[in-house]
């Protein structure tokens, strides 16, 4: 099936498609746990983020969809749901996360955010960004400071993860310095600098130090793509250039630019984005190297890239990026959707079984299209 689409929708149509797909996503929402069934712990943070991003874009539709209440419920319930996490790397370099939900506690323990913290700094970073984007919604004027404080508490825990290579480790149990945890740490720090004026210098110091380390760490290769991590002797390990590793850095640099006014940060982001679009696509559609068998982790990656590409496009518009976002959105809707508006993991089609992870990943593209069309 050809992925070439001859017609282009408008912003209102993309928003309508987003609403239909969000309704489909919510079939997997578990109100008791505050998480989305069929996918993992960190993926649920990404589900929450796509809801929050759409709520900021279309507050009226957000209220109709009950997004503010869903955000509050997830904040209340998810952190009461103990989740045991373990992660391994497949021979192909694909992270495989396993989460076991245990009996929910009736009370939240000390600090109130214990269950947004686990042994993996990347998981923590996803939840910090979900809380920051939930704060941006405002949730009808209530709860927003709670979300921001949750993100601050997560940031302080991530800050303890000092790696021997610089930056932070992937986890508290595995001494691996990978790209994604460090990109998330940068993005969280810069985002907090932009949202807590009284502490801007504190968070900005970390964000700037993190970017200065990251760009000189060797993680960015000669093609301007970001490999998975560093070796024990702190060299680029040459592992996969997953799409999400090219994505989170874009949002982090957009936030850092907003905090500093440094235009070169947007240029750096555009260079990485252009390389990803050149190297990580098939027939103009974003493609993950693990397709069609990416598991619950890999199925989330492409949406993360497109979400952050959307942030970059809003900050520094470029026609090629806009066209790329819209082409992917059109193709997903035409070729990768069933009658229930469920969206699979292979965007060029044909549709295959959807999960909350594949649905939210594709939704990132629809939200982006509605924002930039």
């Amino acid at each position: 099936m050809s992925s070439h689409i001859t017609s282009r929708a408008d912003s209102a149509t993309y928003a309508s498609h987003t609403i239909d797909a969000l309704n489909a996503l919510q079939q997997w929402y578990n109100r008791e746990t505050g998480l989305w069934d069929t996918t993992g712990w960190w993926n649920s943070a990404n589900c929450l983020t796509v809801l929050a991003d759409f709520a900021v874009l279309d507050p009226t539709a957000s209220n109709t969809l009950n997004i503010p209440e869903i955000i509050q419920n997830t904040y209340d319930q998810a952190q009461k749901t103990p989740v045991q996490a373990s992660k391994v790397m497949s021979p192909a370099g694909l992270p495989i996360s396993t989460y076991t939900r245990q009996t929910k506690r009736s009370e939240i323990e000390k600090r109130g955010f214990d269950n947004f913290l686990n042994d993996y700094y990347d998981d923590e970073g996803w939840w910090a960004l979900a809380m920051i984007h939930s704060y941006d919604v405002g949730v009808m004027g209530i709860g927003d400071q709670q979300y921001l404080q949750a993100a601050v508490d997560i940031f302080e825990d991530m800050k303890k993860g000092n790696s021997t290579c610089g930056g932070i480790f992937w986890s508290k149990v595995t001494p691996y310095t990978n790209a994604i945890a460090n990109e998330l740490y940068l993005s969280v720090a810069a985002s907090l600098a932009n949202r807590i004026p009284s502490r801007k210098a504190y968070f900005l110091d970390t964000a700037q130090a993190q970017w200065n380390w990251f760009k000189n760490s060797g993680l960015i290769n000669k093609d301007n793509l970001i490999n998975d991590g560093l070796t024990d002797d702190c060299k680029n390990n040459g592992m996969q250039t997953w799409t999400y590793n090219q994505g989170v850095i874009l949002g982090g640099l957009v936030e850092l630019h907003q905090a500093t006014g440094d235009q070169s940060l947007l240029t750096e982001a555009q260079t990485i984005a252009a390389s990803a679009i050149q190297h990580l696509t098939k027939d103009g559609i974003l493609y993950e190297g693990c397709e069609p068998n990416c598991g619950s982790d890999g199925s989330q990656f492409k949406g993360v890239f497109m979400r952050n590409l959307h942030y970059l496009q809003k900050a520094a518009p470029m026609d090629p990026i806009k066209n790329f976002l819209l082409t992917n959105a059109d193709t997903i809707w035409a070729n990768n959707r069933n009658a229930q508006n469920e969206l699979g993991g292979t965007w060029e089609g044909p549709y295959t079984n959807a999960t909350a992870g594949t649905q939210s990943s594709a939704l990132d593209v629809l939200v982006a299209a509605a924002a930039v069309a």
Side-chain angles (χ1 to χ4, degrees):
M1 182 183 294
S2 172
S3 63
H4 290 296
I5 303 297
T6 57
S7 61
R8 179 78 79 212
D10 59 14
S11 179
T13 302
Y14 291 124
S16 177
H17 292 166
T18 300
I19 291 167
D20 290 340
L22 283 171
N23 280 319
L25 174 66
Q26 288 309 103
Q27 72 180 300
W28 292 295
Y29 186 60
N30 184 324
R31 291 195 56 83
E32 182 180 350
T33 63
L35 302 172
W36 280 260
D37 293 336
T38 71
T39 196
W41 170 253
W42 76 271
N43 311 77
S44 284
N46 280 272
C47 292
L48 188 64
T49 303
V50 76
L51 262 67
D53 282 357
F54 185 64
V56 170
L57 180 65
D58 193 334
T60 301
S62 166
N63 289 334
T64 302
L65 290 163
N66 211 27
I67 290 176
E69 193 278 333
I70 294 165
I71 291 173
Q72 186 68 38
N73 186 71
T74 293
Y75 171 83
D76 288 337
Q77 301 303 324
Q79 59 180 313
K80 297 179 187 175
T81 303
V83 179
Q84 287 292 108
S86 65
K87 300 194 180 200
V88 297
M89 202 77 76
S90 77
L94 179 68
I96 301 172
S97 302
T98 302
Y99 300 99
T100 304
R101 297 182 193 173
Q102 300 174 326
T103 303
K104 184 189 293 187
R105 292 196 307 262
S106 59
E107 297 292 333
I108 303 175
E109 292 180 356
K110 182 182 177 184
R111 289 207 313 172
F113 307 112
D114 298 69
N115 292 304
F116 290 130
L117 306 181
N118 66 8
D119 284 339
Y120 295 89
Y121 293 117
D122 55 343
D123 285 10
E124 294 185 2
W126 296 118
W127 279 102
L129 290 178
M131 290 293 101
I132 289 165
H133 287 254
S134 295
Y135 163 81
D136 290 345
V137 176
V139 188
M140 299 180 296
I142 62 170
D144 49 358
Q145 296 299 330
Q146 291 176 295
Y147 307 142
L148 206 57
Q149 187 58 48
V152 170
D153 286 352
I154 296 168
F155 167 80
E156 293 296 345
D157 197 64
M158 296 177 79
K159 196 171 185 179
K160 299 172 186 174
N162 293 330
S163 165
T164 51
C165 290
I168 63 172
F169 281 128
W170 178 34
S171 82
K172 302 168 187 176
V173 294
T174 305
Y176 174 41
T177 306
N178 73 347
I180 197 61
N182 281 285
E183 293 178 39
L184 288 163
Y185 185 42
L186 166 62
S187 190
V188 171
S191 298
L192 291 173
N194 287 322
R195 288 162 179 81
I196 308 179
S198 64
R199 303 185 69 195
K200 178 176 180 177
Y202 172 69
F203 295 112
L204 186 56
D205 283 350
T206 295
Q208 289 180 310
Q210 181 68 2
W211 171 240
N212 287 336
W213 168 78
F214 192 95
K215 69 181 179 182
N216 295 304
S217 67
L219 284 164
I220 305 174
N221 66 28
K222 62 179 177 57
D223 294 323
N224 291 306
L225 292 174
I226 299 169
N227 293 93
D228 192 70
L230 301 177
T231 62
D232 289 344
D233 60 353
C234 306
K235 306 294 184 185
N236 186 313
N237 63 15
M239 291 176 66
Q240 282 75 7
T241 51
W242 301 117
T243 56
Y244 77 157
N245 281 333
Q246 326 311 316
V248 174
I249 195 66
L250 305 182
L253 291 173
V254 167
E255 291 282 352
L256 190 54
H257 163 262
Q258 183 180 335
T260 63
D262 183 352
Q263 287 293 127
S264 71
L265 298 169
L266 296 180
T267 303
E268 298 255 18
Q270 289 170 332
T271 298
I272 294 169
S275 184
I277 292 171
Q278 177 184 349
H279 293 284
L280 305 179
T281 56
K282 180 184 287 188
D283 196 22
I285 305 303
L286 193 63
Y287 178 81
E288 201 71 64
C290 54
E291 291 184 40
N293 300 306
C294 287
S296 64
D297 282 33
S299 295
Q300 200 77 51
F301 291 174
K302 291 188 295 184
V304 172
F305 175 77
M306 298 298 256
R307 179 196 313 153
N308 286 277
L309 190 66
H310 155 206
Y311 302 157
L312 176 60
Q313 176 65 11
K314 294 296 285 186
M318 294 181 68
D319 283 344
I321 289 178
K322 175 182 176 179
N323 291 334
F324 182 71
L325 289 167
L326 298 184
T327 297
N328 276 263
D330 293 339
T331 301
I332 288 168
W333 201 251
N335 297 351
N336 181 39
R337 175 175 61 102
N338 69 6
Q340 289 73 47
N341 295 314
E342 295 172 352
L343 309 173
T346 302
W347 291 353
E348 68 269 22
Y351 168 83
T352 55
N353 288 342
T355 65
T358 67
Q359 189 81 10
S360 60
S361 184
L363 266 162
D364 279 314
V365 189
L366 300 180
V367 172
V372 307

